[in-house]
Every structure is written in structure tokens, then in C-alpha cells.
Amino acid sequence: MTEATYDLDQTHDPELRSWVEAANDKNGDFPIQNLPVAVFRRAGSDEQFRAGIAIGDSLIDLSASCLSPHLNEPGLAAINLVSSSSLNEFMAAGRRAQRALRRNLSRILQHDFPQRKRVAGALIGLREVEFKMPARIGDFSDFYCSIHHATNVGKLFRPENPILPNYRWLPVGYQGRTSSILLSEQPVVRPRGQILTPGSADPIYSDCRRLDYEAELGVFVGAGNTLGTPIPIDRVEDHLFGVCLLNDWSARDIQSWEYQPLGPFLAKSFATSISPWVVSFDALDPYRRPHRRPDGDPASLPHLTSSNDATRGAIDIKVSIHLLSAAMRARGLPPARLSLSNYADAYWTIAQVVAHQTSNGCNLQPGDLLGTGTISGPAPESRGCLLELSEGGSSPVSLPSGETRIFLEDGDTVIMSAWCEAEGRGRIGFGECRTTVSKAV
Ligand code: MN
């Protein structure tokens, strides 16, 4: 497979405008240059779920029959793959199908498209819809790509030696669970588990007292690889479908008791939340950056090294966390920002992650989900979880309501958002992943 060319094309032109007026808002998430995909139906209906592409304050229903007369042959082939209620088949078809659909929709949605009145019937307002998981997720792996996060967390446990020797050689990860992946708006229930309370030698079974979020991005795999056949680093992008928001809920007290020697287990498996919209790697192309290791770090091994990845492996995606407590909600206060970080600060690129994960011959499949790990930066305000922000619980975070937080309380809503912006390139966004904590049952 050699279809990926990585070139910017007419769909990236920052001057493009849409006949969907809201898509021309310079601060919106869904301009015509973005075109993320989700699976939806009209809220409260018993309609079939189907795929839609966001444009401004609406989406375009890809199952609408008024679209097909205006698509070219590759566009028709691609849209036929997305008519089912999950995107796995479309994901399996690879970057070529994805790009064909993007080019067709970009043309149809442009302000001067002559038959715009004929396709306007496919538009549905975003306020009128509900979402479903974009894919049947077969496997979920979560990584640890931010050295700033790894250092901040490592310092809490090992002040002398925060970064373990393997960190600079391989992207550390673990296999997560798919059964408890939730969509934005689904509440997360505070877990119960074994906790070692301070000063006690024996654990108790109790409600989690140190519930945390982790600001991450999720990457959906597109075309898979055959078992036994690693994906070379320079071919990884042929196998990627897109990026969503991912909140990796973490029970820090359960985690600190259970994690040695095999890593996280019940501290993570109770919930992981994702956003409904998946932004394609094509849409992210204008926001690529060179990826560099800090001076003095060892060069990565050859199978994790590529000049192409060094040139463009980082992606400038700003990731924001806001918190809205029950008291703030009651007083009509707006959500308060807790952190703003950037995926471009990651130590490991997505190409390195996938090259590593398949380097033993492990097969990835369409719809598999990979988490980047908590995205933190060098600055204190770029710490992507409360464990870091509160320095292990010793430094409470203040909220505008006068409340403080070390970890999350019942009724807290955690709101993740992310966007890309670049000089002369405009802005694209990821929508939201919004989750409220409910009490343990
Ligand atoms: Mn994580």
C-alpha cells in the first residue's frame, strides 16, 4: 500500500468557504477544512444509526440519497462503506477511500457548489442528534508518550529516579479494556476497589477517594496488518484512520496499590471516555511539525527512527481541560480551565508507537483504539491530570467558586476539548468530551 502522499491539496485551502454559513466562523470547530466523521441518529428516535460529517453547526447525513448524484466514482465507493452503523468497514478500506470521501464532500460543501440546494436536504443540526461509538473497538492500548507527564508522575513515586531506563528506548504501554469505553455525555460511576489507606498495613475495599481524569488523544486504526508482519515506521500512516478526544479515568488510590509488578488493571478498566467525532489524519496534515528528541538523549533504534517522522511526526494539537463542579453549576458559573497542553510536546510520535506495537508481529485491526497517554507539557499549567496539578494531593487546585480540588468529587463535570491552529491555516476542532462523575453504587 503506497497511497499516502501527505501532500496538502485543495481540501486544505484556508480560503475555502462553505454555503453552510456557520462553517465560516473562524473560531468554530468544524470548518470545511475539517470534515470529521461520527455515527449518529436523530435524538430520541428509533432511526438506524449512520455516519455523518460535521460542517459548522450541522452534519451531513451520509446515508441521504440526495448526495449520490453529486459524487464521483471513488466517492460513491467510499460512501457505500460508511452506510452501516459503525465505521469499521470504512476504516478497513484505508486512506484512499477516506481521501476520496473528503474530496467529494469538500467540493459539495463549497460556497459556490451549483447544486447546493439539492444536497441541503442531507443537513441535520447538531442539536438534533445523538451519537453512538464510531466503531466496534476490538482492542484498546494506552501509552505513556509525554515525558513531562512521566517525569511529574515518576517524581511522586521515585524523586531520585523519575524516568525509568526503558522510557527513552520504547513507548511504554499497556493493554486496556474496550467493554468500558464510554461516549461523551455518558456518566462515569466512581469505582470501588482495594485501597491502602495512609498508616495502614492492610488494604480495605472502599469507594475510590482519588479519582482522576487524564487528558489524552485516541487514535483509531484504519487498515490493519497481518499477524507476524510489523508495520515499518514509514508505512504507519497508511494504517491510521483518525483522532478523537480520550479521557482515561484513573483511580489513583487503587492504582498505587495494584500496579506492581504488572501495571494498571482495575484502576483504569472501569471507564475510558471518548468524543463522538473522529478527525482524519488528512485534516491534521497542515498542523504537522518536526519531532525532535532533547539534546543528549540516545537516538531511537533504527526501527523506531525515520527522517520523514523527524520532519513531520509531531502534530500541533492543543488539548484543554475544564472543570464544572456541582456548586459552580448551581451558581451559574462557567467551567474553569484546569490545563492547556499540546500533543506536539509528546516524546514519542504516533508512527513510533505503532511501529513499536507491531514490531513483534502483533496485528492491529480496523477500529482498534490507541491512547497517547496523558498529554502534559513543560509548564505547570500544561499538566494533563489532577495527580500532576495537585502534586500528588499536596497542592490543591482552586476553583472560581472558592472550592478546591485534589481529586474529583461526585457531580464534577470534566470537559475536554482540542483544536489545531496555525498561521495562515485557520483552525479545526475536535468538539468535546464531557463527562460527569456520579457517586459509587
Ligand atoms: Mn492513560
Side-chain angles (χ1 to χ4, degrees), residues 140 142-144 149 174 214-216 246-250 252 268 371-374:
F140 167 47
D142 196 24
F143 290 85
Y144 203 45
H149 171 68
Y174 67 94
E214 290 190 336
E216 305 195 13
L246 188 150
N247 181 345
D248 178 27
W249 299 97
S250 299
R252 300 302 185 191
K268 301 280 189 174
T372 57
T374 308

Side-chain angles (χ1 to χ4, degrees), residues 150-161:
T151 303
N152 292 338
V153 171
K155 272 182 190 161
L156 297 171
F157 297 101
R158 298 174 303 273
E160 308 306 313
N161 182 27

Side-chain angles (χ1 to χ4, degrees), residues 249-268:
W249 299 97
S250 299
R252 300 302 185 191
D253 40 9
I254 298 172
Q255 186 177 2
S256 60
W257 170 238
E258 75 170 4
Y259 86 105
Q260 288 176 316
L262 288 184
F265 190 50
L266 302 184
K268 301 280 189 174

Side-chain angles (χ1 to χ4, degrees), residues 6 20 33 38 44 61 104 113 140 146-147 164 173 209 214 227 242 273-274 277 285 369-370 376 381 412 417-418 439:
Y6 312 135
V20 180
Q33 293 83 0
D61 178 352
N104 274 266
F113 180 62
F140 167 47
S146 163
I147 198 167
L164 294 172
R209 297 164 188 187
E214 290 190 336
L227 180 63
S273 298
I274 64 170
W277 293 109
D285 268 342
L369 183 64
L370 314 177
S376 296
E381 61 273 18
D412 284 352
S417 59
K439 65 176 170 36

Side-chain angles (χ1 to χ4, degrees), residues 24-65:
N24 303 321
D25 174 359
K26 294 257 180 291
N27 298 313
D29 277 351
F30 305 131
I32 192 169
Q33 293 83 0
N34 191 353
L35 306 179
V37 63
V39 173
F40 79 99
R41 70 178 174 191
R42 278 177 212 275
S45 77
D46 57 2
E47 292 174 356
Q48 290 274 355
F49 281 98
R50 68 264 191 199
I53 297 269
I55 181 76
D57 56 357
S58 303
L59 61 73
I60 190 145
D61 178 352
L62 296 184
S63 72
S65 54

Side-chain angles (χ1 to χ4, degrees), residues 69-92:
H70 308 288
L71 302 176
N72 64 20
E73 207 172 301
L76 269 176
I79 213 164
N80 285 335
L81 294 170
V82 294
S83 54
S84 63
S85 68
S86 77
L87 298 175
N88 293 67
E89 267 181 80
F90 183 46
M91 290 168 160

Side-chain angles (χ1 to χ4, degrees), residues 200-345:
S200 173
D202 299 329
I204 55 169
Y205 177 66
S206 140
D207 296 357
C208 167
R209 297 164 188 187
R210 291 163 73 92
L211 181 62
D212 203 355
Y213 61 82
E214 290 190 336
E216 305 195 13
L217 293 170
V219 175
F220 276 102
V221 173
N225 62 305
T226 309
L227 180 63
T229 309
I231 302 176
I233 186 165
D234 278 330
R235 293 264 66 90
V236 165
E237 299 215 5
D238 298 338
H239 296 266
L240 300 178
F241 181 79
V243 178
C244 65
L245 306 172
L246 188 150
N247 181 345
D248 178 27
W249 299 97
S250 299
R252 300 302 185 191
D253 40 9
I254 298 172
Q255 186 177 2
S256 60
W257 170 238
E258 75 170 4
Y259 86 105
Q260 288 176 316
L262 288 184
F265 190 50
L266 302 184
K268 301 280 189 174
S269 62
F270 61 95
T272 306
S273 298
I274 64 170
S275 60
W277 293 109
V278 184
V279 174
S280 70
F281 278 86
D282 288 314
L284 295 171
D285 268 342
Y287 310 99
R288 292 290 194 152
R289 298 283 177 273
H291 181 260
R292 246 197 228 113
R293 305 192 131 211
D295 291 341
D297 279 16
S300 48
L301 290 173
H303 70 296
L304 301 179
T305 305
S306 133
S307 59
N308 184 45
D309 196 47
T311 306
R312 62 187 302 283
I315 317 177
D316 190 326
I317 305 176
K318 293 171 181 67
V319 178
S320 164
I321 290 281
H322 282 77
L323 187 98
L324 182 67
S325 71
M328 291 164 70
R329 195 181 297 111
R331 288 170 52 186
L333 294 172
R337 174 170 282 164
L338 297 189
S339 68
L340 179 62
S341 55
N342 196 316
Y343 180 48
D345 288 328

